[in-house]
Amino acid sequence: MKILLVIDNLNSGGAQRQIVNLGIGLKEIGNEVHFLVYNQGDFFEHILENNNIAVHKFYKRNKFDVLSLFKAIGFMKNQKFDAIGAFLFTPSLYVLLFKLITFSKTKVLVSERSFHSEREEDYRKKIIRKLYRVSNVITANSISQTNYLKSCFPKLVDKIVYIPNGLNIDDFKIKTEHQPSNILKIVSIGHINSNKNTKLLIEAVKILRDTYNIETQVEWLGRTYEFLNEKNIYFEECKELISKYELQNHWNWAGKVKQIQNYLLVSDVLIHPSIGEGFPNAICEGLACGLPIIASNVNDHPHIIKNHSNGFLFNNNDLDDLIDKILRFKKLSIEDKRTMENQARKTAENNFQLSNMVAKYNEMFSL
């Protein structure tokens, strides 16, 4: 098949990482794969170049650049793709408008990579979802979002499919060295914004030090949205909080990181305090390295993390419960921690193989 994958940009986001992995996987099983982007950002572009996958750029001059949109639609029509897939809402709008305007028989797949939140619902999502009826397949990468979509669109339920994210599990090394240390090494991954609930972890680190005499070292991996050329107010508030609590020696902002494994393999635990998630790439990458997880009890986290097996769940936005779970992990014996690490790896191996994700999407494109 000749397949086009549409995404907003090739920056370091989770959706971008997944669609790049999907494109490479689809090519490896014999498809001709192309990418279309409309915003600048090249974090993953070299990976596509190394795999000889063409990237077609229709950069928007501004937020309301309709000309760029119609050039992209014209390209989709002229190239006569067998199937077109899009991740995220605005890329989905591009392919849905292509289908609506051209009456093309090209198979169109759209994919939601987020979670339902009343506070984040807006008119754009509602308009785009109105067009879902012209798509051939609607996918979601989480069980919770799949169920939400089915409840919203009972007439489209046969089109809605759950396809979890995938990883090249064999590319992830397993933590093997365990040097005794009095410092609890924590890693957390995510763009720095209020949804990731960074402040909750900062508060926890302070209490662990002041109340329980537990020293921690936090490595936070993730961009600050500096590419928007805007000040990240939440990030500034986090830095002020760290300064106020004198935690500078216990916290490092690593920024965008290409070799995430280098951090995962030297950490004791991955803490993911997010107040909402679509599908948590960070958690799955941690599990693939055999890293125990402490995560908020939201969305698909309970489907992935099982208490005392591969990690712990804490009540959403509950500081006391987060601290309790960290203390429980800290008190585990060496043998129990090793067992938890083994279960973490098995979770990734049994549930998040990239080959399974690629095969399922290939099946959907072939319908």
Side-chain angles (χ1 to χ4, degrees):
M1 288 183 292
K2 184 178 180 181
I3 299 173
L4 176 69
L5 298 177
V6 182
I7 189 71
D8 52 357
N9 57 58
L10 292 172
N11 269 319
S12 60
Q16 286 79 5
R17 179 183 293 112
Q18 285 298 311
I19 202 168
V20 166
N21 287 342
L22 173 61
I24 294 170
L26 288 170
K27 182 177 180 183
E28 287 177 347
I29 60 175
N31 297 293
E32 178 186 341
V33 179
H34 298 251
F35 269 69
L36 185 152
V37 298
Y38 54 83
N39 284 333
Q40 294 188 25
D42 60 0
F43 188 85
F44 289 114
E45 187 171 355
H46 71 284
I47 298 177
L48 294 175
E49 289 177 353
N50 291 341
N51 284 274
N52 295 314
I53 295 176
V55 179
H56 307 277
K57 302 171 182 178
F58 293 87
Y59 289 158
K60 296 197 297 185
R61 293 167 296 180
N62 55 60
K63 187 176 181 179
F64 304 101
D65 186 0
V66 178
L67 180 60
S68 172
L69 168 62
F70 281 99
K71 284 182 178 179
I73 291 174
F75 168 79
M76 295 181 213
K77 180 181 179 181
N78 293 333
Q79 288 293 313
K80 301 186 185 307
F81 292 100
D82 298 302
I84 301 177
F87 280 13
L88 304 176
F89 280 103
T90 303
S92 292
L93 177 61
Y94 271 61
V95 302
L96 291 168
L97 287 175
F98 154 74
K99 186 81 168 178
L100 192 67
I101 293 172
T102 65
F103 300 100
S104 173
K105 294 182 179 179
T106 300
K107 297 182 182 69
V108 163
L109 179 151
V110 296
S111 183
E112 293 202 4
R113 325 294 294 179
S114 58
F115 65 98
H116 172 63
S117 172
E118 294 290 348
R119 68 174 186 165
E120 293 185 357
E121 284 297 314
D122 59 36
Y123 71 93
R124 288 169 298 179
K125 289 184 179 180
K126 292 179 180 178
I127 292 173
I128 293 169
R129 283 173 172 160
K130 289 284 186 183
L131 298 176
Y132 277 3
R133 59 183 176 81
V134 304
S135 68
N136 297 91
V137 182
I138 305 159
T139 74
N141 63 346
S142 67
I143 294 172
S144 54
Q145 192 68 7
T146 302
N147 292 338
Y148 171 72
L149 289 172
K150 288 182 177 180
S151 68
C152 290
F153 306 105
K155 294 183 179 180
L156 302 179
V157 69
D158 292 338
K159 292 184 178 183
I160 301 171
V161 181
Y162 164 58
I163 307 179
N165 288 358
L167 299 172
N168 277 313
I169 304 297
D170 292 339
D171 290 345
F172 286 79
K173 299 177 183 178
I174 305 174
K175 182 178 178 179
T176 55
E177 295 186 10
H178 302 88
Q179 299 295 331
S181 175
N182 294 324
I183 299 175
L184 180 64
K185 297 178 181 178
I186 298 169
V187 63
S188 194
I189 305 172
H191 304 331
I192 303 164
N193 57 52
S194 59
N195 181 63
K196 297 302 181 183
N197 215 3
T198 313
K199 289 181 184 178
L200 189 75
L201 184 55
I202 295 173
E203 296 286 352
V205 168
K206 174 185 181 296
I207 292 174
L208 288 168
R209 180 196 63 186
D210 296 347
T211 305
Y212 298 97
N213 197 31
I214 295 176
E215 295 296 327
T216 60
Q217 178 60 48
V218 178
E219 295 285 346
W220 189 287
L221 318 182
R223 66 188 182 192
T224 64
Y225 288 93
E226 67 280 355
F227 65 94
L228 295 176
N229 295 319
E230 296 177 0
K231 190 174 183 179
N232 186 330
I233 296 175
Y234 186 81
F235 180 43
E236 296 301 320
E237 292 172 350
C238 288
K239 290 194 293 185
E240 290 174 6
L241 203 58
I242 288 172
S243 178
K244 175 183 175 182
Y245 295 154
E246 298 182 346
L247 296 173
Q248 295 92 329
N249 293 331
H250 304 278
W251 193 287
N252 179 50
W253 303 105
K256 290 192 297 186
V257 173
K258 289 187 177 181
Q259 297 299 327
I260 292 176
Q261 286 192 58
N262 292 343
Y263 291 85
L264 297 176
L265 292 171
V266 298
S267 299
D268 298 310
V269 63
L270 186 148
I271 297 182
H272 200 67
S274 175
I275 61 175
E277 282 291 336
F279 185 99
N281 282 305
I283 287 179
C284 295
E285 291 172 350
L287 292 171
C289 285
L291 195 61
I293 310 295
I294 298 176
S296 51
N297 190 3
V298 297
N299 301 106
D300 272 31
H301 290 177
H303 296 290
I304 302 170
I305 305 304
K306 305 299 179 184
N307 279 320
H308 299 283
S309 175
N310 54 8
F312 294 95
L313 293 169
F314 68 91
N315 295 328
N316 189 24
N317 206 29
D318 187 331
L319 177 60
D320 292 336
D321 199 31
L322 171 57
I323 292 170
D324 176 66
K325 296 306 190 298
I326 294 174
L327 292 174
R328 289 192 191 189
F329 174 78
K330 187 76 167 59
K331 292 176 182 177
L332 290 175
S333 67
I334 293 176
E335 291 75 15
D336 287 340
K337 286 181 180 178
R338 301 303 164 264
T339 299
M340 189 171 282
E341 290 171 357
N342 290 333
Q343 288 299 319
R345 175 70 177 195
K346 287 181 181 178
T347 301
E349 290 176 342
N350 294 337
N351 297 281
F352 308 122
Q353 294 283 0
L354 178 60
S355 57
N356 294 338
M357 183 186 85
V358 172
K360 191 63 178 178
Y361 272 104
N362 193 61
E363 177 189 346
M364 294 299 103
F365 284 132
S366 303
L367 289 177

